Amino acid sequence: MATLLYPPFAEKPSIQKRWAYASILTDIVRGSSDAIDAFTLFHDLLHGKNNDSSSVGFMGFDAHGGDTGCQLRAGMLQEVFSVHRRLMLHPDEKSSRNPDWIDANLKRLRELHRSAKEACAQLTQKKAHPKVLGFGDREDSVQGLLKALGWSNASVEPLYGPCRSCFPPQGGASHESGSEYDDSQAIAEKAKTSTRNSQIKPSHEVTPEDIVLDLLEKVSDSFLALASPPTSGSETDSRTTKYYPSFSPKTPADQGITTPASTIASSTISSGSSALSVTTLASSASSISEFTQYHEPSPLQTEWNLLDSQTLVRFIVYSYILSKYKVFCRLSNVVGARISPETAVMVGERLIQPYFDPKNRDYKPLKMQRYRTEFATYQAWISDFSCAWLRSLAARSIAEPNLERLMTSTIQKSSKDLTAMACYPGYLLLREAWAQEKCTMILIDRHFCPFGYHVNLYYATLRQPISTAAVHPDTLGQRICWTLQSVTTSELLSSPEQSVPHLIVMGNSIEGTYVDYFGRIPLPDGGRPENSFPHELPSQTKCAANEAHNRVFTATDHDRLTLAFFASHKSYAFPLESGMKEQDFVEGCMDEFEKQNPSDDQEQGLKESWRLSTVDADEMGTSTGNFRVFGIQHMALETKARVARLVQVAEDEAYLLPLRSDVPV
């Protein structure tokens, strides 16, 4: 129960009777074990270790947030990893900084894990008095028990240690193992003369903030052109031009807002095959107000600050746990996910079993409800943090800086403390950020033909279109083109880039409706129709229906299709407190936003864009009434080889639910 170790919000005293001590110790043992696994996995991913296709990877953090925002968690994990990978690796790419925040937490967790098991053995097997262990005689708070076990939830500063050599320097004597390769002096000297010297403190110890600012100095390629009109002579679909007229992006200066030049002239830096915008790095600096200017007071309990160790540990640990105990399943009329508290009980009992004497009647189990409360707490924090990320994206937006006001106005909270924002404008922000980084996704299209199903894989790269490409401008004035390239599992497995994660978009298609697709999904009792298995064909033979579908798939405007999908997507997984219908509430927020931010005559209003994209869903083949092209089911983050292996395993087992990582339980 990691909420005991890393409380999500304000810590509340929790008094436990003496008879419950063994149960609390069991929760501490399981919580510390899960947290150790989470930090160990993230540490390996940062260092690019254990990249075997059968290893647990980024989908080990594919959290079930209890809302409708799997696309948010995928994007959040991508940004967290990209920022910290870049901060860990020195710009010279020959040295790296040790992630002290991970090591410090791992050390404390391992000590706590051992102490909690020994304490349980002392209490239940050796029948020691609680006072001997420093516990209360008749009762004690959970915080008191943890303190007696030696636990302290302290922040780690600085996050990263000094640089250490990754490779021996060329043309000189080799460094001894572990010796420092540190050019912090050079950066510190540069900081003294930097045009941003008010933001950098001259020091021999290079901080993550120094690296961010140094990168901002070095890179000057702007992607503001992403939001600019196409060059003369470009060809545009007349229908999309009519529905989505373009307009020039509003810069912060147009709004009377003073924003640092580093945010406006955002640049892109390349790290291997992965592109990371400097805006992403800058907005994650500890002095976040220097780079991301919020214009609205936040009703959220969290803030998107990736250099705060307290925030980082919760995101890493909570995401891992919400992935580990997640189960995809067929519900009454949809494919969904749920959390399995029963599995958490089993894991806790297995871990504590060697140290617990069940014959000792002085200690009794606590009720099952605490497990449900535990996972609801994880989801409450993750959903709030997801909204904090969207708010950060909105404040960073080049095309429409004022979108933060709209996003903040759409925040809704459920009776169980889940927090969510409107889906369609939220996706516009993701789309802008991913296109800025020239993001390459992997599309997994499971197409059902009359005789079974096929799995078709594609790379999809978002970018500014070339002058002759058809474009689909939306209300933010951005022209984004999706370039598709067919790929096989063999090609994914043999790719040399196996430490770089990609956004994975899983979906389904059938020449029919969603009901037709859902009829192919196995029932909970295992029953399934004959045509719900892979369509087996002789070697060198192709399915005509799947080949025809692939031609339609590749010819489709996927930017327009995805806009249509998210325009039709549900925003809130719970009834609104006001009792209003979701569409009416969001439309009201958009109306108020457009009153405060009137469009020019040539601009398309956000509300009208949303309406037209919603109408598009049926024609584009991504609606419940027309499922023939691609209906997105789940989004996650993973490397090429790992996702290829998961696809192969799913085909071997005729598994038709969303892919998930094999996180050991």
Side-chain angles (χ1 to χ4, degrees):
M1 191 172 286
T3 50
L4 302 181
L5 316 181
Y6 302 108
F9 303 115
E11 194 168 0
K12 300 177 182 178
S14 174
I15 304 298
Q16 299 293 336
K17 297 295 184 182
R18 173 176 171 174
W19 59 262
Y21 286 177
S23 290
I24 297 300
L25 290 170
T26 300
D27 292 342
I28 291 172
V29 167
R30 175 174 61 83
S32 58
S33 176
D34 286 340
I36 289 169
D37 290 344
F39 283 122
T40 302
L41 175 57
F42 194 72
H43 181 278
D44 288 349
L45 293 173
L46 276 180
H47 284 277
K49 297 179 179 178
N50 302 329
N51 290 322
D52 183 81
S53 63
S54 61
S55 64
V56 177
F58 292 87
M59 288 178 71
F61 299 102
D62 182 22
H64 173 43
D67 54 11
T68 62
C70 61
Q71 71 277 10
L72 303 182
R73 255 75 66 191
M76 292 160 68
L77 180 60
Q78 181 188 45
E79 184 168 323
V80 169
F81 172 79
S82 297
V83 167
H84 281 274
R85 171 78 171 168
R86 192 65 185 173
L87 292 177
M88 187 188 74
L89 293 178
H90 193 270
D92 63 13
E93 297 186 358
K94 294 182 180 180
S95 55
S96 65
R97 291 171 172 77
N98 189 61
D100 289 348
W101 63 280
I102 294 180
D103 289 352
N105 277 283
L106 280 173
K107 181 180 179 181
R108 290 202 301 267
L109 286 165
R110 286 170 179 144
E111 292 171 351
L112 175 66
H113 187 74
R114 183 185 65 254
S115 298
K117 290 189 294 187
E118 291 175 353
C120 189
Q122 289 286 330
L123 291 177
T124 67
Q125 295 177 348
K126 299 182 179 180
K127 299 183 179 180
H129 194 280
K131 281 188 175 180
V132 175
L133 303 174
F135 298 166
D137 184 6
R138 296 184 178 181
E139 64 181 25
D140 205 340
S141 66
V142 171
Q143 295 77 11
L145 298 177
L146 286 168
K147 184 177 180 180
L149 293 171
W151 175 255
S152 64
N153 183 19
S155 61
V156 180
E157 299 294 346
L159 294 179
Y160 292 87
C163 292
R164 296 190 178 275
S165 176
C166 296
F167 312 100
Q170 297 179 357
S174 298
H175 286 265
E176 294 180 2
S177 177
S179 64
E180 291 191 4
Y181 179 91
D182 195 346
D183 67 348
S184 56
Q185 176 68 33
I187 294 182
E189 287 300 321
K190 180 172 182 177
K192 295 178 182 179
T193 57
S194 171
T195 55
R196 301 182 182 88
N197 57 5
S198 61
Q199 299 175 19
I200 303 179
K201 297 179 180 180
S203 170
H204 294 292
E205 179 66 32
V206 180
T207 67
E209 293 92 331
D210 295 336
I211 299 174
V212 171
L213 293 167
D214 189 57
L215 290 169
L216 287 169
E217 289 282 354
K218 287 181 178 179
V219 188
S220 60
D221 294 334
S222 173
F223 52 65
L224 271 174
L226 184 67
S228 301
T231 57
S232 177
S234 63
E235 297 178 6
T236 306
D237 185 301
S238 59
R239 182 178 178 279
T240 57
T241 302
K242 175 183 176 183
Y243 277 15
Y244 304 92
S246 64
F247 66 98
S248 300
K250 296 178 182 178
T251 65
D254 295 331
Q255 305 297 320
I257 301 167
T258 303
T259 304
S262 57
T263 302
I264 299 174
S266 303
S267 307
T268 300
I269 56 175
S270 178
S271 176
S273 64
S274 175
L276 174 63
S277 68
V278 174
T279 301
T280 298
L281 285 168
S283 63
S284 299
S286 59
S287 301
I288 195 167
S289 61
E290 294 289 338
F291 299 99
T292 304
Q293 293 196 357
Y294 294 115
H295 308 116
E296 297 294 312
S298 175
L300 302 173
Q301 300 180 72
T302 59
E303 183 177 284
W304 187 254
N305 184 352
L306 301 189
L307 295 188
D308 174 49
S309 64
Q310 296 284 10
T311 299
L312 278 172
V313 297
R314 282 157 180 77
F315 177 68
I316 296 301
V317 173
Y318 292 4
S319 294
Y320 181 84
I321 292 173
L322 289 173
S323 175
K324 177 176 180 175
Y325 299 104
K326 174 185 66 182
V327 178
F328 286 115
C329 54
R330 171 177 169 148
L331 303 175
S332 58
N333 59 355
V334 295
V335 171
R338 67 177 183 86
I339 293 295
S340 174
E342 300 81 10
T343 304
V345 174
M346 178 195 71
V347 170
E349 290 176 347
R350 185 182 70 232
L351 290 170
I352 205 67
Q353 188 272 331
Y355 310 92
F356 176 72
D357 182 1
K359 296 178 182 178
N360 190 330
R361 301 301 179 185
D362 291 337
Y363 298 96
K364 305 172 185 178
L366 287 167
K367 294 181 179 180
M368 183 73 178
Q369 181 58 36
R370 79 184 193 278
Y371 293 98
R372 299 188 181 93
T373 301
E374 172 194 358
F375 287 105
T377 303
Y378 296 137
Q379 291 180 329
W381 190 92
I382 284 289
S383 66
D384 191 275
F385 196 49
S386 300
C387 291
W389 183 56
L390 279 177
R391 181 169 174 261
S392 174
L393 289 181
R396 297 182 237 167
S397 175
I398 295 172
E400 179 50 85
N402 285 334
L403 204 60
E404 180 206 340
R405 294 192 175 97
L406 171 64
M407 297 307 299
T408 301
S409 72
T410 67
I411 292 175
Q412 290 288 288
K413 189 176 287 290
S414 77
S415 59
K416 296 182 179 180
D417 283 336
L418 289 177
T419 310
M421 288 175 164
C423 179
Y424 180 70
Y427 171 68
L428 295 181
L429 292 168
L430 269 64
R431 173 175 172 262
E432 178 184 9
W434 292 337
Q436 286 172 354
E437 295 171 11
K438 298 181 176 63
C439 174
T440 295
M441 303 177 178
I442 298 176
L443 307 185
I444 304 175
D445 170 37
R446 187 187 291 127
H447 180 66
F448 292 85
C449 73
F451 308 102
Y453 71 88
H454 307 262
V455 177
N456 308 304
L457 304 174
Y458 294 90
Y459 289 133
T461 302
L462 280 63
R463 61 176 177 79
Q464 181 186 8
I466 59 176
S467 60
T468 58
V471 295
H472 182 72
D474 74 337
T475 189
L476 297 187
Q478 292 180 307
R479 299 173 173 272
I480 294 172
C481 178
W482 289 50
T483 302
L484 267 61
Q485 177 188 344
S486 179
V487 65
T488 66
T489 53
S490 297
E491 290 169 337
L492 291 174
L493 286 166
S494 62
S495 172
E497 307 165 353
Q498 294 303 348
S499 64
V500 179
H502 293 264
L503 290 166
I504 311 299
V505 184
M506 310 169 214
N508 301 280
S509 56
I510 192 170
E511 196 65 37
T513 66
Y514 180 86
V515 173
D516 296 323
Y517 148 74
F518 194 68
R520 302 281 190 100
I521 305 300
L523 297 168
D525 62 7
R528 59 192 299 169
E530 292 182 1
N531 60 354
S532 66
F533 295 88
H535 184 194
E536 299 290 347
L537 290 165
S539 179
Q540 306 302 318
T541 304
K542 295 183 178 181
C543 171
N546 187 55
E547 289 296 295
H549 167 73
N550 279 332
R551 288 191 292 272
V552 172
F553 191 91
T554 54
T556 295
D557 179 347
H558 280 267
D559 188 45
R560 184 174 158 197
L561 179 145
T562 311
L563 284 167
F565 175 83
F566 282 105
S568 308
H569 196 271
K570 191 172 180 61
S571 296
Y572 308 101
F574 48 84
L576 301 188
E577 185 178 6
S578 63
M580 293 179 67
K581 292 182 179 179
E582 178 180 301
Q583 182 173 342
D584 294 340
F585 169 72
V586 176
E587 283 184 351
C589 292
M590 288 183 175
D591 285 339
E592 186 62 29
F593 171 74
E594 291 181 352
K595 285 180 184 177
Q596 297 175 4
N597 301 274
S599 303
D600 296 335
D601 292 340
Q602 72 272 25
E603 294 178 7
Q604 178 68 67
L606 179 61
K607 179 180 173 181
E608 181 64 6
S609 251
W610 182 33
R611 184 188 71 79
L612 292 169
S613 281
T614 304
V615 172
D616 257 356
D618 192 64
E619 180 181 337
M620 297 304 297
T622 189
S623 70
T624 55
N626 183 353
F627 219 58
R628 68 185 181 87
V629 180
F630 192 57
I632 298 173
Q633 186 174 56
H634 188 59
M635 289 185 66
L637 192 72
E638 194 50 275
T639 58
K640 295 176 181 179
R642 290 192 185 99
V643 79
R645 186 192 67 85
L646 291 174
V647 168
Q648 290 178 336
V649 170
E651 284 198 88
D652 292 342
E653 299 176 355
Y655 172 81
L656 290 178
L657 300 179
L659 302 180
R660 70 179 303 271
S661 183
D662 299 324
V663 179
V665 295

